[in-house]
Amino acid sequence: MKKKVAFYTLGCKLNFSETSTIARGLVKEGFERVEFDQKADMYVINTCSVTENADKKFKTIVKQAQKSNPKAFIAAVGCYAQLKPEELIAVDGVDLVLGATEKFNIADYVNDLSKNDMGEVHSCEIQEADFYVGSYAIGDRIRAFLKVQDGCDYKCTYCTIPLARGISRSDSLENVLNNAKEIAEQDIKEIVLTGVNIGDYGKGEFGNKRHEHTFLDLVKAPDTVDGIHRLRISSIEPNLLKNETIDFVAQSNSFVPHFHIPLQSGSDELLKRMKRRYLTDLYVNRVQKIKEVIPNCCIGVDVIVGFPGESDEHFLETYHFLNELDISYLHVFTYSERDNTEAISMHGVVPQKVRNKRSKMLRALSVKKRRAFYESQLGKELEVLFEGENKEGYIHGFTENYVKVKSPWNPELVNTLHKIRLKDIAEDGIVTIEFINAEAVV
C-alpha cells in the first residue's frame, strides 16, 4: 500500500508553487497525494510568517490533521518554519520542522513516518539559503504559478521575508522556459510568474551576483512559447516596473493587461519610515504610464494600515491618494508586529481598534474602486477563461483584465477561452456576460 500524503499551504502564490513541487517530489518517491481533509499517513503544512494570523492558523491546521488521523506524521516547512522552528516543534503533534534549505529534501527525513516523542528540527542560518530551487504549482487545470525568483535584498522595516528566504536569487532563463513548456503541454491556459521580488529577476541566476538577464528579458522569453495563451505578472515593485516592460506588455502576444503593484502607504513620510525604495510621485507616474499605453488595464495595489507612527493625517493622506488614483482594487493588510524587524521597536504604536477601523475604510474603498472599474468595462468585448467550480449554479471566470464574470453552469466551458461581451453587474458584484460566438477560442 502506498503511503498517503496531504498538503496545506498558507500564504502567497510562491508558497503554492513550492508546495506543488514538494508534492511532486514525494509522489516520485512512492507517496499518493490526497486532499487535506482526507485520512493520510503524513500531513505537510507550508507555513507563512507575513502576519500574526498566519502564525496562529498553524495550530488550527495541525488539529485538523490530527482529527483526520491522530497517528499521522506532521511536518512543517516554509517561512515560519525557518524563522521560529522551536515554536513550531513545540506544537503538540508536530514531528518535523524543515527550514529554508531543507524543505525540498523532505523525502530524506521521512523514511518510516514513525512519530517521535521529540520532534526533529532541521533549519539553517539564513545566509546558507543562497541556492535556487525552481518550482511551479498546478493547483487546478486552469492556471499555474511559475516561480522565477526567490529571496529579497530589500530591507523594508516591517518585513521578515529576507530573514525567512535569504538573498535575492533567480532561476535561469533556460529553466524558466523549460518549466513554461512543461506547463503548456498540460493544457493549462494561464501562467502566473511569481517570486518574492520578481522585478529583481536576474540576480543570482548563476549562483552569484553576475547579472546576465533582466526582468524585461524574463517577460519577453515566455511570450514566444507555443501553447501559452495567457501570462500574468503576480506582483512587481513600482521602482522595478520600467517603461520598457509596460510598453512590451501593451503589445505582447500573451501577457494580459493586469499589474499588481505594492504601494503600502500614500504618505511619503511613512514610505521613508518603511524604507521603501520610491515615493508617491514615482507611483503616480507608473499608474499614468500604464493607463496611457493600456487604457483598459486592471491595476491592483497592496497597502498597509496601522504602521507605527501612522497618524490620522497620514492615513487620510493615503486614503485620498488612493481615491484619486486610477486603480482597480486594493489588497489591504493590517500592520502586524514581527520579531526581528526595525518597525517593532518604532514609537507611535497604533491601537488595534484604530488599525481595524482604517482597514475597514480601505476595504470599502476597494469595493468602490472595483465597481467603478467594472462599470468602465461594461459593453466591451473581452476574452474570458472559465474556472472549474460550480458556484450556486454558475461558472465563474476572469477576463484578461481581471474582471470577474459568471454564466449559468456548463461543465463544457471549464478551462476554455471565449469571446464575450460584458453586460451588467449582478447584485453579488460579479459581471454577467453574453457570448459573442458559441465556439471556444481555444
Side-chain angles (χ1 to χ4, degrees):
M1 288 285 288
K2 281 187 175 182
K3 296 283 188 184
K4 293 179 179 178
V5 60
F7 294 83
Y8 195 105
T9 306
L10 287 158
C12 60
K13 293 180 175 75
L14 184 57
N15 271 8
F16 278 93
S17 75
E18 292 182 341
T19 296
S20 199
T21 298
I22 293 166
R24 286 194 295 275
L26 285 173
V27 167
K28 280 181 185 173
E29 293 289 330
F31 282 83
E32 178 190 345
R33 185 174 182 178
V34 297
E35 294 300 316
F36 198 81
D37 59 2
Q38 294 179 269
K39 186 175 181 181
D41 301 288
M42 175 165 73
Y43 294 90
V44 180
I45 304 166
N46 194 352
T47 62
C48 171
S49 67
V50 170
T51 67
E52 193 179 357
N53 285 343
D55 293 356
K56 286 178 179 172
K57 197 169 180 188
F58 177 77
K59 291 179 183 176
T60 307
I61 298 159
V62 170
K63 283 178 184 169
Q64 272 179 247
Q66 289 174 312
K67 200 172 176 183
S68 297
N69 181 6
K71 295 179 180 177
F73 188 91
I74 298 176
V77 302
C79 291
Y80 192 20
Q82 173 62 34
L83 288 173
K84 297 197 172 178
E86 300 305 330
E87 277 189 22
L88 293 190
I89 205 67
V91 174
D92 184 44
V94 176
D95 300 286
L96 178 67
V97 175
L98 298 179
T101 58
E102 297 305 315
K103 59 190 171 189
F104 293 103
N105 302 324
I106 189 169
D108 297 343
Y109 296 99
V110 293
N111 294 331
D112 61 357
L113 296 186
S114 57
K115 291 188 78 66
N116 306 313
D117 293 334
M118 290 288 291
E120 281 185 53
V121 172
H122 297 275
S123 63
C124 65
E125 293 300 318
I126 198 59
Q127 291 83 353
E128 295 170 33
D130 58 359
F131 56 89
Y132 187 85
V133 178
S135 56
Y136 61 84
I138 302 171
D140 51 32
R141 58 195 181 94
I142 313 301
R143 66 179 53 81
F145 300 125
L146 172 55
K147 174 184 165 186
V148 297
Q149 183 273 341
D150 200 352
C152 188
D153 293 343
Y154 286 12
K155 299 290 187 285
C156 300
T157 54
Y158 52 82
C159 186
T160 58
I161 288 176
L163 302 173
R165 285 189 168 269
I167 59 171
S168 179
R169 54 211 190 272
S170 310
D171 205 350
S172 69
L173 204 54
E174 181 185 9
N175 202 39
V176 169
L177 283 173
N178 287 339
N179 283 339
K181 286 170 187 169
E182 274 183 36
I183 292 165
E185 285 165 5
Q186 297 178 59
D187 191 32
I188 287 166
K189 303 288 193 289
E190 180 174 309
I191 294 177
V192 184
L193 301 179
T194 187
V196 174
N197 188 356
I198 192 174
D200 213 21
Y201 178 83
K203 265 191 193 170
E205 190 183 350
F206 303 97
N208 52 35
K209 290 296 179 187
R210 189 155 64 86
H211 216 296
E212 183 173 326
H213 294 109
T214 64
F215 181 70
L216 183 59
D217 296 328
L218 169 73
V219 170
K220 284 181 173 179
D223 200 47
T224 59
V225 174
D226 287 340
I228 297 177
H229 303 284
R230 283 187 176 183
L231 286 160
R232 202 179 294 274
I233 299 164
S234 61
S235 177
I236 181 167
E237 294 284 305
N239 52 301
L240 296 173
L241 178 56
K242 307 297 185 189
N243 286 347
E244 296 90 338
T245 302
I246 297 168
D247 287 333
F248 179 78
V249 168
Q251 54 81 48
S252 152
N253 298 318
S254 309
F255 275 93
V256 294
H258 176 207
F259 288 101
H260 192 91
I261 315 167
L263 169 69
Q264 311 310 12
S265 176
S267 160
D268 284 345
E269 190 181 330
L270 285 185
L271 287 174
K272 289 173 185 173
R273 279 171 72 86
M274 291 175 172
K275 291 192 177 172
R276 301 294 285 161
R277 297 195 178 193
Y278 55 86
L279 296 175
T280 50
D281 276 357
L282 182 139
Y283 200 94
V284 170
N285 289 340
R286 297 298 80 212
V287 171
Q288 288 175 343
K289 169 66 180 176
I290 291 166
K291 288 295 184 174
E292 180 189 312
V293 296
I294 320 173
N296 72 328
C297 190
C298 178
I299 302 175
V301 182
D302 286 344
V303 61
I304 295 170
V305 296
F307 186 78
E310 183 185 64
S311 63
D312 287 343
E313 290 74 22
H314 289 131
F315 173 71
L316 288 173
E317 201 178 346
T318 295
Y319 187 94
H320 293 309
F321 179 79
L322 290 165
N323 191 35
E324 290 164 17
L325 210 55
D326 192 1
I327 55 165
S328 314
Y329 64 90
L330 305 173
H331 281 174
V332 184
F333 297 89
T334 304
Y335 171 72
S336 184
E337 282 80 359
R338 305 280 80 197
D339 289 343
N340 301 314
T341 60
E342 275 190 64
I344 199 168
S345 56
M346 287 181 178
H347 60 80
V349 173
V350 179
Q352 196 62 49
K353 276 187 181 177
V354 177
R355 296 184 209 184
N356 294 343
K357 182 184 173 186
R358 291 174 184 173
S359 176
K360 199 172 177 182
M361 285 176 69
L362 284 186
R363 288 179 204 280
L365 178 61
S366 180
V367 171
K368 182 182 124 179
K369 285 285 185 181
R370 193 185 297 271
R371 186 173 183 95
F373 177 65
Y374 282 8
E375 284 174 352
S376 75
Q377 300 301 300
L378 294 180
K380 293 194 173 174
E381 294 183 4
L382 296 165
E383 203 170 83
V384 63
L385 173 59
F386 285 105
E387 312 272 335
E389 198 178 339
N390 183 341
K391 294 183 179 178
E392 299 178 355
Y394 285 92
I395 187 169
H396 291 177
F398 284 93
T399 63
E400 59 268 45
N401 62 342
Y402 216 55
V403 175
K404 190 173 186 179
V405 307
K406 66 179 183 179
S407 183
W409 171 253
N410 176 354
E412 291 179 12
L413 293 176
V414 173
N415 197 33
T416 61
L417 284 155
H418 282 266
K419 291 278 186 191
I420 52 95
R421 186 177 290 106
L422 301 183
K423 281 174 63 184
D424 298 299
I425 303 174
E427 283 185 18
D428 57 7
I430 301 170
V431 180
T432 60
I433 60 171
E434 60 185 14
F435 289 89
I436 291 172
N437 59 52
E439 297 300 311
V441 179
V442 287

